[in-house]
Amino acid sequence: MRDWEEGTGMVTNAVSRPRPYRIISGIGAGAGAALVMVVAMGLLRFMLQFPSIPELMLNPVVKLLGGQAFSDALDKLYYAGRPLMFTLMLEGTILLGVILGVIYARLARPNPATGERPALFNSPLGGVLFGLLIGVLLNTVFLPIVEQDVFASQPLGITAASPLPLWAGLMALALIFGVTLHGLLPPVAPQVAGDPVLSGQDAQAVDRRHVLRIIGGAALSLVGGAAFWYGGTVLTQGGFKSPVDAPAAGNDGSVAQPEETATPASVSQTNPTSTPEPLPTDTAQPPTAEPTGTAIDATDEFTPSTSTAEPTITQAPTEPPPPTNTAMPAVPVIKVKEITPTESFYHISKNFFDPSPGSKDWKLEIKGLVDNPYSLTYDQLTALRAVEVTTGMMCISNPIGGGLIGNAKWKGVRLADLLQKAKPKKNALELAMSAVDGYTDSITLKKALDPDVVLVWEMNGAPLTSQHGFPARLLVPGIYGMKHLKWITSIELVDYDYKGFWQQPAQGWNDPAPVNTMSRIDLPTAGNLDVNKKTTISGVAFAGDRSISKVEVSTDGGKTWKEAYVKPPLSGTSWVVWGYEWTPTTAGKYTVQIRATDGDGKLQVVKKADPYPNGATGYHSVTYRVK
């Protein structure tokens, strides 16, 4: 017999209590179980290097978005872009957990007559079987969607290998979700005939508990998402600060003039720190003294990497930099230094979490269309007679006036010498290169034989940090930074045009990727200046391996141009710092522009263009108000 209970709006059973169980209870249980699974996923990621679900999704999602969307996101969000994507993927994982929770709650709903769940769901066995089913679906459906093999042992294109097989880790995460989901579902007490019917107040309390479970699950999801957002931003990119965030003006309305820094505050790439970035625990310090020995020659016999005999490379004489504009009537005090500190040097990669490979297991393979394929360990590489170079680097995604650029001192070995040891075949055209994180790119063999192209293991007098490519990375002056491979592990010579990660059709970034001439105003930042007071405007200019021959400044919005002082470059592949003394004699609003001419005599492109797909062009300008 079923009666309508006055004041409650609930249908009750005359001989038993009303069902307190609601299928919507699965919302809170699903959200909670998903959060527990995400925590377990994080522990596996940082303890065993097991790739997280968002990491498995990243490459396909980036390909789906395309190069234009990536460029737009980087232009607007900078270092917050990838943490935002990571957070959205985690929130999507929690949403999926909610849906699965509702499904499980329906499967486990009690019999209306007896109030008992189906026998399968009376114990955690139901959660175990549900988790196993999800694990099978992850391995057979999800993995192919994210371009991985069914029941794969190790992921493709994802950072360093984990000791835990991919399929096993996914099954474990699914089991954790299933068992937790079962445990979080509200228990159902057996209904006994003759039990009193719940009063209207008690029935309303039951409904309130269901609502609270839903609200609690949603709140946990939001709090978890906020934590992922903050933690992901800090862990993956070192903070929220944009590379081009300008500092606020001083309290007196004047523009703050910072102390000398290699990267001015107006264009800093990362939050400055007082300590250098940590190195991997097994980082081997390169020898302080260069070993002696004969130079590698193309006629040398092949020496396997396991041999105790290690090839050495002699240092070629440094070529003088091309002539620059040094005959200026006034030499201003320039507060922009020429070397970017390692902790301030920009860093961009395709990863949510960059790899941290050690030196013991790392090796570089040179293979493909060569007569003498061979490999080098870290110790063998760093024992080679090295060269030291000062080279600038710029990301192809750097906008006009942006901070995705730096200049540093590097130590390594010329790639041409390593290739000559391998003896390339006559039909070899390009170098197809890959890295620890699965990133790939290419350069032509002709470019690789340029003496300016160097494989380096030191940056600014110290071993590379993991963030900047430890154990070794490539420097390819004249080409944008995406081809300066970090964590490089393989160089394969091929006879065709190899398209790397960012040059695939879905991405569409320029393949040769020559650096466009750029110039930037660093100091003073936009704000107020004093009339009839001398001000030194300064900044940097860069043209890859073409150097800079002239920098010009316009204080009237581009109507007229005057030549600035250019400090002689540290090398033919470094950026230059420049300065221009300006004394505004009239109050008003001024737009100051900057342009550069490269060492070949070619003027910087004036037409504004976004970074995608060939790199940004156009003149940088800063507006000042003179009072």
Side-chain angles (χ1 to χ4, degrees):
M1 177 179 180
R2 297 168 65 84
D3 298 323
W4 183 269
E5 186 171 320
E6 294 293 337
T8 67
M10 298 178 60
V11 177
T12 64
N13 192 303
V15 296
S16 64
R17 67 182 63 174
R19 266 192 304 130
Y21 185 82
R22 296 289 187 273
I23 290 177
I24 56 176
S25 299
I27 294 177
L35 280 174
V36 171
M37 184 194 71
V38 166
V39 171
M41 185 167 60
L43 292 175
L44 290 178
R45 176 63 180 83
F46 292 105
M47 293 176 64
L48 298 178
Q49 295 296 308
F50 184 81
S52 64
I53 289 176
E55 286 177 280
L56 292 170
M57 296 172 61
L58 178 61
N59 288 353
V61 169
V62 169
K63 291 179 181 178
L64 182 65
L65 291 176
Q68 182 68 69
F70 177 86
S71 178
D72 291 343
L74 190 60
D75 184 43
K76 295 177 175 62
L77 298 172
Y78 285 96
Y79 294 140
R82 279 182 293 172
L84 175 60
M85 184 183 294
F86 183 76
T87 302
L88 290 175
M89 289 181 181
L90 285 179
E91 291 284 12
T93 302
I94 295 174
L95 177 60
L96 180 60
V98 168
I99 295 172
L100 293 174
V102 172
I103 293 174
Y104 187 80
R106 180 168 180 80
L107 294 173
R109 69 188 186 279
N111 187 307
T114 64
E116 294 183 353
R117 286 176 174 169
L120 181 63
F121 299 97
N122 274 335
S123 71
L125 178 62
V128 171
L129 294 177
F130 193 66
L132 287 174
L133 175 61
I134 295 172
V136 171
L137 292 176
L138 285 174
N139 276 287
T140 58
V141 178
F142 172 72
L143 285 184
I145 291 176
V146 297
E147 303 175 353
Q148 302 290 334
D149 295 333
V150 173
F151 281 98
S153 177
Q154 292 296 333
L156 302 174
I158 308 290
T159 189
S162 170
L164 179 65
L166 181 59
W167 68 268
L170 291 177
M171 293 296 293
L173 291 174
L175 282 172
I176 290 172
F177 173 81
V179 173
T180 306
L181 175 62
H182 179 89
L184 291 179
L185 275 180
V188 178
Q191 297 180 355
V192 181
D195 277 354
V197 175
L198 288 180
S199 67
Q201 184 177 4
D202 291 338
Q204 289 175 353
V206 169
D207 279 348
R208 283 197 297 270
R209 287 196 293 272
H210 293 315
V211 173
L212 288 175
R213 287 192 185 100
I214 297 172
I215 294 175
L220 281 173
S221 300
L222 292 174
V223 171
F228 297 142
W229 163 257
Y230 177 78
T233 302
V234 172
L235 289 174
T236 62
Q237 302 303 328
F240 294 97
K241 188 174 182 181
S242 162
V244 291
D245 282 344
N251 295 330
D252 59 356
S254 62
V255 177
Q257 295 285 347
E259 296 297 324
E260 288 188 84
T261 58
T263 305
S266 60
V267 289
S268 61
Q269 289 84 24
T270 58
N271 291 329
T273 58
S274 57
T275 57
E277 299 172 14
L279 293 170
T281 55
D282 64 345
T283 299
Q285 295 290 338
T288 55
E290 295 178 344
T292 60
T294 58
I296 285 181
D297 184 80
T299 60
D300 288 347
E301 293 296 325
F302 168 62
T303 303
S305 62
T306 56
S307 171
T308 57
E310 297 171 344
T312 57
I313 294 174
T314 56
Q315 182 173 0
T318 304
E319 298 180 2
T324 60
N325 170 38
T326 57
M328 296 299 298
V331 180
V333 176
I334 301 175
K335 293 187 176 182
V336 180
K337 283 190 175 179
E338 296 166 279
I339 299 298
T340 307
T342 301
E343 63 270 18
S344 297
F345 205 101
Y346 84 93
H347 53 94
I348 296 291
S349 76
K350 70 177 185 65
N351 311 302
F352 282 136
F353 303 100
D354 288 334
S356 299
S359 61
K360 293 181 180 178
D361 298 327
W362 177 89
K363 68 176 180 179
L364 173 68
E365 293 184 294
I366 301 179
K367 56 187 180 179
L369 297 177
V370 296
D371 290 330
N372 285 333
Y374 70 100
S375 63
L376 287 170
T377 66
Y378 182 77
D379 289 339
Q380 289 174 327
L381 177 66
T382 55
L384 300 177
R385 186 176 295 277
V387 296
E388 294 185 352
V389 296
T390 301
T391 296
M393 186 188 306
M394 180 166 61
C395 180
I396 195 171
S397 296
N398 193 40
I400 297 173
L404 301 179
I405 182 174
N407 195 57
K409 294 181 178 179
W410 313 85
K411 181 178 180 180
V413 60
R414 287 191 170 90
L415 183 60
D417 293 328
L418 297 178
L419 293 176
Q420 288 169 3
K421 171 68 177 177
K423 298 181 180 179
K425 294 181 181 293
K426 291 182 179 180
N427 58 334
L429 295 177
E430 287 198 358
L431 276 63
M433 304 172 293
S434 58
V436 170
D437 62 343
Y439 179 76
T440 59
D441 217 317
S442 66
I443 58 174
T444 65
L445 177 58
K446 180 180 179 181
K447 182 64 178 177
L449 295 175
D450 187 321
D452 288 330
V453 178
V454 183
L455 183 73
V456 300
W457 57 82
E458 279 192 14
M459 179 181 186
N460 290 334
L464 290 169
T465 64
S466 59
Q467 193 175 59
H468 290 294
F470 182 88
R473 74 172 301 165
L474 197 63
L475 296 183
V476 193
I479 293 179
Y480 280 112
M482 62 184 175
K483 292 184 178 286
H484 299 226
L485 262 71
K486 296 186 285 189
W487 315 294
I488 188 169
T489 58
S490 174
I491 297 175
E492 182 177 3
L493 277 70
V494 298
D495 59 358
Y496 58 90
D497 182 16
Y498 180 86
K499 301 294 184 183
F501 183 87
W502 293 116
Q503 292 82 42
Q504 296 292 329
Q507 300 302 321
W509 289 92
N510 188 294
D511 191 14
V515 169
N516 294 319
T517 302
M518 64 79 66
S519 54
R520 188 182 70 194
I521 300 171
D522 291 347
L523 295 173
T525 56
N528 298 328
L529 301 177
D530 295 329
V531 68
N532 294 321
K533 182 178 179 181
K534 183 183 294 184
T535 298
T536 298
I537 302 173
S538 58
V540 299
F542 182 59
D545 57 356
R546 303 185 304 276
S547 195
I548 295 292
S549 62
K550 183 169 62 174
V551 172
E552 297 170 286
V553 177
S554 173
T555 58
D556 54 11
K559 296 178 182 178
T560 61
W561 295 88
K562 295 183 179 180
E563 195 166 348
Y565 169 78
V566 178
K567 188 174 181 180
L570 297 177
S571 77
T573 60
S574 72
W575 70 13
V576 299
V577 297
W578 58 268
Y580 177 75
E581 291 184 342
W582 178 45
T583 304
T585 58
T586 306
K589 187 177 181 180
Y590 292 82
T591 298
V592 177
Q593 284 185 306
I594 182 71
R595 70 183 186 186
T597 301
D598 68 16
D600 295 335
K602 189 174 181 180
L603 183 65
Q604 180 179 345
V605 177
V606 63
K607 183 179 180 181
K608 286 191 175 182
D610 292 333
Y612 182 82
N614 302 316
T617 58
Y619 296 168
H620 184 221
S621 63
V622 175
T623 299
Y624 303 105
R625 186 173 296 277
V626 177
K627 295 183 177 180

